[in-house]
Amino acid sequence: MNLYTKIFVTALIPLIIIISISFIQIDHVINNQIKNFYKKELKDKSIISNKINETIKQIYVNLNIISSVYEVKDAFRFNDNDLLTIWGKKFLDSQKMIFFVDLNAVVLSRAHDEFKFSDTLINKDFYKILKTNGVLHKIDYIDNTLCLIIGKKVLQYGKSVGFILIAQELKSNFLENLENGTLFNLSVKKNIDINKIEKIEDILIYNSLLDKDIEATKKLREFLFFSLLSLVIFLSILLFIIIKKHLKPYIKLTEILSSFSNNKISLIQLRKDVKQIYKTNVMHEINSIAKAIQSMAIQVQKDKIKLERLSQIDQLTQVYNRRKIDSIFSLKFEEARRYNTIFSIIILDIDYFKAINDKYGHDMGDKVLVEFARVLRTNIRVTDYIARFGGEEFLIVCTRTNAAECKKLCEKLRDKIRNININGLKISSSFGYVEYDSNFTSKDHMFKIADNFLYEAKNSGRDCIKG
C-alpha cells in the first residue's frame, strides 16, 4: 500500500469515527426527547383514567344517596312519577341520565326527560343483569345513547321496590372534560362490541397532539444521518483524488482527525485546527477539504446545541424545563452544602389559571403562560435560573441570594406580573420562597418547604408572598 493510500485510509477512519460519534450523540439526544414525549403521553393517559374513576365514584355516591331517601322509596311503592323526577333532578347534569324503574321493568320516571315514562326495559340485557344481581356496572346503549350505566336495587324494609340507574353519556362533552389539560384528542371507537367492553378506556381512541412532534424529531434524525453520510462519501472521494499531490497538508489533517477520534481534542478545537490549515494553504486543494470539514463540524455542533436546547427548554414559554432546572437545583444544593454558599429558590404559579383556561380557552391560557414567563425572564438577574416546573407553576433558582433579597425579588416580580394586560385580562401570582439551610436533608426537602409556603400563600387569598 503506497503512502498516499495509507494517508487516505488513516484520514478516512477518523472521519468516520467523528461522524459516528456525532451521530450517536445526536441519536442519544433525540431518543431522550422521544422518551420524554412518550412519558408525557403515559402521564396524560393516567390523568384521563383518574378523571374517569372520579366520575364513576361520584355516580356511586349519588346512587347511594338517592336510594337511601325514604321519600324515594315511598315514591316507588306509589308510582309517584313527580316525586321521583324531583329527586332525580337534584343529581342531574347535562351529561347524565337518571332512570327510576319498577320491578316489572317499567320506567316510572326519567329525571332528564320528565314527560317520557311508562315504557319498558324488559328486553334490555343490562336490565336482566340488574334484576339478577341487584347491581349493574356496564357500558351499553340506553335511549339510543352509548353510556356507562350504573344501577342498583332499592330496598324498603328489606324488600325490593325498584331500581335506579344513572347513565353517564359517552358523548363529546364528556370526552372534552376528560382530555382537558392533556395532549390528547379523544374519540369513541366505531362498531363496538358491547359484550366485550369492560371499562370506558376500552372504547376510547387516544389521538396524541405529540404525534407530529415525534414524527418531526424522527425525520430530523434521518436527515442528519443522511447528511453526515453524504459528507463522508463526498470527503472520501475528494481525499482520494487530491491527497497524493498534497501530501504534507493531508498528514497534518490526519493528525488532527486522529487526535479528535482519540478524544485528545474537542469538536471546537477540531474546528480551530482545521481552520488554521485552510488559512495557511490558501492556494492548495486542501483548503476546500478543510473548509468542508469545518462546515461539517460547525453544522454538527449547531445541531447538537439545537437538540440539547430542545431537551432543556420548554417549547411554549422558552424557559428551562423541569429536567434542566432539576439538574441546576441539584448542583447549587451540593455547592451550598460543600462550600457553605448561599442561594434561594422561589416557587410561584398563576392564580386561578384553570379558571382562565375554562373561561377564555387554552389559546388564551398559552398566551398568559408565554407573557408570564417573559416577564419573569426579563426581570431576574443573569445569574438566576428560571424554569416552567409544570402546568402554570414556575421555579426560580437565585444564586448568592439570602431570604431578604429573595423576598425583594418576589415583590418586584409580583408588581411586574400585576401590570400584565392581555386583551384586558389581568393576572396575579402567589409566591413561596426559602433560603438554603444546612438543616435541609436534600434538595427535595428544601423544595417541599418552599412548596408549603406557596400553598400557604394560596390559602391566604393569593397574590401574596410567603417564605
Side-chain angles (χ1 to χ4, degrees):
M1 184 181 295
N2 55 36
L3 182 58
Y4 75 89
T5 303
K6 291 180 181 179
I7 296 175
F8 169 76
V9 172
T10 304
L12 182 60
I13 292 176
L15 181 60
I16 294 174
I17 293 175
I18 292 171
I19 301 299
S20 299
I21 292 173
S22 300
F23 180 76
I24 290 172
Q25 291 174 334
I26 293 170
D27 188 65
H28 176 72
V29 173
I30 290 178
N31 284 336
N32 283 341
Q33 184 63 29
I34 292 174
K35 287 179 182 178
N36 289 335
F37 286 151
Y38 286 134
K39 286 180 181 178
K40 175 60 178 172
E41 289 185 347
L42 290 175
K43 181 180 178 180
D44 284 356
K45 283 186 178 180
S46 176
I47 291 173
I48 291 172
S49 294
N50 289 338
K51 288 183 180 180
I52 292 172
N53 292 334
E54 285 297 319
T55 299
I56 294 172
K57 181 180 178 181
Q58 188 60 48
I59 291 175
Y60 274 108
V61 170
N62 293 344
L63 199 60
N64 289 332
I65 293 174
I66 299 172
S67 64
S68 65
V69 177
Y70 287 103
E71 288 183 352
V72 173
K73 297 178 180 180
D74 288 337
F76 269 106
R77 290 176 57 201
F78 298 107
N79 294 339
D80 191 339
N81 170 277
D82 292 335
L83 187 57
L84 291 173
T85 300
I86 290 171
W87 272 100
K89 286 184 176 180
K90 294 177 183 293
F91 299 89
L92 197 63
D93 61 44
S94 61
Q95 299 175 15
K96 292 185 177 63
M97 299 185 288
I98 301 180
F99 301 79
F100 298 88
V101 184
D102 69 15
L103 297 176
N104 295 316
V106 175
V107 178
L108 299 178
S109 170
R110 284 177 169 82
H112 55 282
D113 190 354
E114 58 186 300
F115 300 109
K116 183 179 180 182
F117 56 92
S118 297
D119 53 317
T120 181
L121 302 178
I122 192 67
N123 295 322
K124 297 294 184 179
D125 291 339
F126 62 80
Y127 174 78
K128 297 174 183 178
I129 296 173
L130 177 60
K131 186 173 182 180
T132 302
N133 300 331
V135 293
L136 175 68
H137 186 124
K138 191 176 189 304
I139 294 176
D140 206 337
Y141 286 93
I142 185 168
D143 284 358
N144 298 319
T145 302
L146 183 64
C147 300
L148 169 64
I149 309 171
I150 299 176
K152 70 175 295 185
K153 179 166 56 180
V154 179
L155 298 175
Q156 187 178 45
Y157 308 119
K159 294 183 179 180
S160 176
V161 295
F163 304 93
I164 302 175
L165 297 92
I166 299 180
Q168 171 66 59
E169 298 179 4
L170 304 180
K171 291 183 177 180
S172 59
N173 288 342
F174 177 65
L175 298 182
E176 288 174 0
N177 289 338
L178 292 181
E179 70 191 26
N180 187 27
T182 72
L183 293 171
F184 287 108
N185 286 327
L186 298 179
S187 58
V188 176
K189 296 177 181 177
K190 297 181 180 179
N191 303 320
I192 299 172
D193 186 349
I194 298 300
N195 296 320
K196 294 182 180 180
I197 302 299
E198 296 181 359
K199 55 186 180 179
I200 293 178
E201 289 89 337
D202 295 337
I203 68 170
L204 296 180
I205 299 174
Y206 294 83
N207 301 303
S208 175
L209 301 178
L210 289 176
D211 287 343
K212 291 183 179 179
D213 292 336
I214 294 174
E215 188 62 27
T217 305
K218 290 180 178 179
K219 287 183 178 180
L220 175 61
R221 176 171 54 190
E222 293 175 0
F223 171 77
L224 291 174
F225 172 77
F226 287 115
S227 296
L228 295 176
L229 182 61
S230 299
L231 280 172
V232 171
I233 296 173
F234 168 75
L235 292 176
S236 298
I237 296 173
L238 192 59
L239 281 170
F240 187 80
I241 294 173
I242 64 176
I243 200 170
K244 185 176 181 179
K245 184 178 180 181
H246 307 278
L247 186 59
K248 185 176 179 180
Y250 278 105
I251 293 175
K252 178 61 177 177
L253 182 60
T254 302
E255 291 174 351
I256 295 171
L257 294 175
S258 178
S259 296
F260 179 78
S261 67
N262 293 323
N263 297 320
K264 293 180 180 179
I265 60 173
S266 65
L267 187 61
I268 295 175
Q269 186 61 44
L270 171 69
R271 289 175 51 193
K272 291 180 179 179
D273 293 346
V274 172
K275 186 176 182 180
Q276 185 62 30
I277 288 179
Y278 71 72
K279 278 188 174 182
T280 55
N281 296 273
V282 177
M283 303 304 294
H284 202 289
E285 282 88 351
I286 191 69
N287 184 277
S288 299
I289 297 176
K291 284 185 177 180
I293 295 176
Q294 170 78 349
S295 299
M296 178 199 71
I298 292 173
Q299 186 60 45
V300 169
Q301 187 175 5
K302 286 181 178 178
D303 291 338
K304 182 179 177 182
I305 293 172
K306 180 179 178 181
L307 290 171
E308 286 177 350
R309 176 176 172 81
L310 186 64
S311 68
Q312 296 175 354
I313 298 297
D314 178 68
Q315 296 304 300
L316 176 64
T317 60
Q318 293 301 302
V319 297
Y320 285 136
N321 58 23
R322 182 169 182 167
R323 175 185 175 190
K324 177 61 177 179
I325 199 68
D326 191 59
S327 65
I328 293 172
F329 188 10
S330 297
L331 178 62
K332 296 302 177 184
F333 189 88
E334 291 303 318
E335 285 180 353
R337 182 161 60 180
R338 176 171 294 187
Y339 302 112
N340 199 29
T341 57
I342 62 170
F343 80 101
S344 300
I345 63 170
I346 302 170
I347 305 175
L348 67 159
D349 68 7
I350 303 171
D351 294 333
Y352 304 109
F353 183 72
K354 184 179 184 301
I356 293 173
N357 270 336
D358 292 341
K359 183 175 181 180
Y360 300 99
H362 289 283
D363 288 341
M364 175 61 79
D366 288 347
K367 290 180 181 178
V368 170
L369 284 171
V370 170
E371 179 62 14
F372 186 79
R374 186 195 67 77
V375 169
L376 296 179
R377 186 175 64 247
T378 56
N379 285 281
I380 61 174
R381 301 171 306 176
V382 294
T383 55
D384 297 334
Y385 304 89
I386 179 173
R388 183 183 178 192
F389 204 70
E392 72 274 22
E393 188 173 80
F394 290 75
L395 174 63
I396 303 175
V397 177
C398 306
T399 60
R400 300 184 181 276
T401 305
N402 58 31
E405 294 168 334
C406 189
K407 183 179 181 181
K408 289 182 180 179
L409 177 58
C410 290
E411 292 171 346
K412 174 187 175 183
L413 295 176
R414 180 179 62 177
D415 292 339
K416 295 293 184 180
I417 291 167
R418 285 173 175 171
N419 292 329
I420 292 176
N421 188 321
I422 304 175
N423 297 331
L425 176 64
K426 305 286 287 185
I427 64 173
S428 62
S429 181
S430 299
F431 295 74
Y433 70 92
V434 67
E435 178 186 347
Y436 169 79
D437 189 295
S438 58
N439 291 324
F440 290 142
T441 57
S442 65
K443 69 178 182 64
D444 292 334
H445 183 195
M446 183 176 179
F447 181 88
K448 180 64 176 176
I449 299 299
D451 195 44
N452 288 341
F453 281 127
L454 174 61
Y455 185 76
E456 181 182 342
K458 286 193 168 295
N459 286 338
S460 299
R462 294 180 168 84
D463 192 25
C464 61
I465 300 166
K466 297 292 181 179

